[in-house]
Amino acid sequence: MRNFTFYLAVALCALATKVHAQETFESKAKNIAEKIEKVTKDEKEALKVAVEAVNVKVDKGEINAQQAAAEKEALANATAAKIESEVNRLNDELRTLVQDKVDGRIAASDTTKGNHTYIFSIKRKDLKGKKYEFNGERRTTSQFVFAIGLNNVVTDGSVEDSDFRYPGSRFYEWGLAYNTRIFKNDNLLHAKYGLSLMYNDLRPTNNRVFEKQGDQTVLVTSPVELKNARFRNVYLVAPVHLEFDFSKKETKNDKTIFRTHNSFRLGVGGYAGLRIKSKQKTEYKLNDMEYESKVKGDFNASDFVYGLSTYIGYKQTSLYLKYDLNPLFQNNAVKQNNISLGVRFDFN
C-alpha cells in the first residue's frame, strides 16, 4: 500500500507539471497572435486619424494637394515601419516558442469532449520486481509547418502568359498546426488547424513595377533598367483542413496505439486571414552606382485573404496547392487571384 501511494503521488506530480506546461504554451501562442492582430489594427486606425487630419488642413487652405500627398505618404511609410518592426519582434517570440515545442521543452495537448488528457508513463520496480505503468492516449498532436514553392496569379482563369516570372515568383509559409483524430477508434480522419504566416512574392516581367493609380494598381515600365523587382504580400492566416491519414495502428502491451504521419496523407480545406503588409523592392544600377529601393503601402491590395488549399504526400512531406478566392487587388478592372504550388513539411 505504501509503494502504491508513492507511485500515485509521482504520477500526479507528472500530470500537474504537464498541465502547467501546456497551459503556458497555449496561452503564450494565443497571446502572440492577439498582439500581432492588435498592432496591425491599432496602427491602421491611427493612420486613418492622421490622414483625416491632413485632409482637414487641405480644407482649411493650410496646405495644398501636393503637400498633402507628401504628408500622407510619409505617414503611411512610418505606419508600415512600425507594424513591420513590431510584427518582426513578435515573430521572433513565436519562432522561439515553436522551437521550444519542437525540442520537447513544452508538452502537447489533447482535447476530448472539452477536457484535457495527457500521456505519461512512470515505471518503478518494487522489491518484488513488479512494474507499474500509467498510460493515457493523446488524440491531439502539434506540428511545426513549413512550406516553400512557386507563386503566380490566375488571370481570366489561366496562368499562361503571366505578367510575372515563373521561376522567380515564390511563396513561403511557416506556422503551428494542431492535428486532432476525429474518431476515438479510427485513425483515418483528422482535423488539422492552426496559425500561419504566408509570404507571397511576385516578380514582374519586362522591366515593370507596380504603381498605384487612384483605386487601381497597374504594372508600368520602369524608367531605369532594373536588376530585380519584387512585390510581396504578407498574411496572418488560420488554415483548416480535413486530413486523411493512412497510417496503420499499432498494438503495444495489448493496447491499440494510433500513429500519425507514418504513411500517405491527404488534406483538403482552406484558410482565411488578414494582410499584414505589402512591399515592393527594386534594385538597379545607375552611373556605376547600385541602388536599392523599398516602397511600403497598401497598394490597394485586399485586406482580407481567404482561399482553398490541399496537400498530398508521404509521412511529413507533401505536395501543396493553394488558391486565393479573393482578388489580389481590391478594385482592379482585371481580377487576378494568387495561386501557389510547392512542398510542405509537417514536423512532429
Side-chain angles (χ1 to χ4, degrees):
M1 183 63 181
R2 183 178 301 172
N3 288 336
F4 174 76
T5 302
F6 168 75
Y7 298 131
L8 180 60
V10 173
L12 292 175
C13 288
L15 177 58
T17 301
K18 286 183 176 288
V19 170
H20 173 73
Q22 179 58 32
E23 289 176 348
T24 301
F25 172 75
E26 290 181 346
S27 61
K28 285 184 177 180
K30 181 180 179 182
N31 186 40
I32 292 173
E34 290 176 347
K35 285 182 179 179
I36 291 175
E37 185 176 357
K38 186 176 187 301
V39 165
T40 304
K41 181 179 178 181
D42 290 350
E43 290 298 335
K44 286 187 176 181
E45 288 298 326
L47 177 60
K48 289 181 181 179
V49 173
V51 168
E52 184 59 32
V54 174
N55 292 334
V56 172
K57 291 167 67 176
V58 173
D59 293 339
K60 291 181 177 180
E62 298 176 1
I63 59 175
N64 57 35
Q66 186 176 3
Q67 292 172 323
E71 286 193 23
K72 289 178 182 179
E73 183 177 0
L75 288 170
N77 290 336
T79 298
K82 288 181 182 179
I83 293 175
E84 182 177 19
S85 176
E86 188 64 15
V87 168
N88 286 340
R89 184 184 68 80
L90 293 170
N91 285 344
D92 290 339
E93 290 186 17
L94 183 59
R95 277 192 289 268
T96 300
L97 186 66
V98 171
Q99 189 60 52
D100 288 343
K101 172 65 188 71
V102 173
D103 293 340
R105 291 192 288 268
I106 301 178
S109 69
D110 183 13
T111 305
T112 306
K113 296 181 180 180
N115 298 318
H116 290 293
T117 61
Y118 300 88
I119 181 170
F120 58 94
S121 178
I122 301 175
K123 299 180 180 180
R124 294 289 188 273
K125 290 185 177 180
D126 61 12
L127 297 177
K128 296 182 180 180
K130 293 182 180 179
K131 183 183 293 185
Y132 294 84
E133 297 185 6
F134 300 83
N135 292 309
E137 185 185 0
R138 186 169 52 182
R139 286 178 62 179
T140 297
T141 59
S142 60
Q143 292 88 38
F144 175 70
V145 177
F146 176 74
I148 184 173
L150 302 178
N151 191 63
N152 219 289
V153 298
V154 175
T155 306
D156 294 330
S158 175
V159 294
E160 296 180 355
D161 301 322
S162 174
D163 290 325
F164 308 99
R165 293 160 47 191
Y166 292 105
S169 301
R170 306 183 187 93
F171 84 93
Y172 310 88
E173 178 183 342
W174 63 269
L176 180 68
Y178 289 94
N179 187 326
T180 299
R181 192 174 77 252
I182 295 177
F183 299 112
K184 182 177 180 180
N185 297 314
D186 189 282
N187 200 39
L188 180 62
L189 296 180
H190 294 251
K192 193 77 169 277
Y193 49 94
L195 193 67
S196 291
L197 279 172
M198 290 183 179
Y199 300 77
N200 293 338
D201 289 353
L202 293 171
R203 297 179 189 268
T205 58
N206 301 327
N207 201 51
R208 293 178 295 175
V209 293
F210 278 113
E211 182 178 278
K212 186 176 177 181
Q213 298 179 354
D215 63 352
Q216 301 283 302
T217 301
V218 298
L219 286 172
V220 298
T221 301
S222 172
V224 297
E225 187 66 28
L226 299 174
K227 292 178 59 179
N228 184 37
R230 183 190 71 195
F231 177 70
R232 168 177 287 181
N233 281 323
V234 182
Y235 304 96
L236 178 66
V237 299
V240 178
H241 293 91
L242 177 64
E243 184 174 281
F244 298 81
D245 193 322
F246 296 92
S247 301
K248 294 182 179 180
K249 62 183 180 181
E250 301 176 7
T251 302
K252 185 176 181 181
N253 297 331
D254 296 326
K255 179 177 178 60
T256 301
I257 301 175
F258 297 97
R259 303 295 187 187
T260 63
H261 298 72
N262 277 352
S263 185
F264 289 99
R265 294 182 300 114
L266 169 66
V268 290
Y271 51 91
L274 301 172
R275 179 176 59 86
I276 297 177
K277 69 175 180 179
S278 297
K279 178 174 67 175
Q280 182 166 249
K281 177 181 177 182
T282 56
E283 299 174 11
Y284 57 93
K285 189 174 183 180
L286 188 63
N287 297 327
D288 295 326
M289 300 288 289
E290 293 188 355
Y291 296 88
E292 181 180 291
S293 173
K294 295 180 181 179
V295 179
K296 301 173 184 177
D298 63 6
F299 286 89
N300 292 321
S302 297
D303 290 327
F304 299 96
V305 62
Y306 54 94
L308 303 175
S309 56
T310 183
Y311 54 89
I312 183 171
Y314 182 71
K315 292 189 175 181
Q316 65 184 19
T317 307
S318 305
L319 183 65
Y320 191 28
L321 176 65
K322 300 185 299 177
Y323 177 71
D324 289 358
L325 295 177
N326 63 288
L328 179 62
F329 300 107
Q330 298 182 62
N331 303 307
N332 276 14
V334 177
K335 301 298 182 183
Q336 295 177 309
N337 300 75
N338 202 87
I339 188 170
S340 307
L341 176 65
V343 180
R344 170 184 171 126
F345 303 93
D346 294 75
F347 299 107
N348 277 309

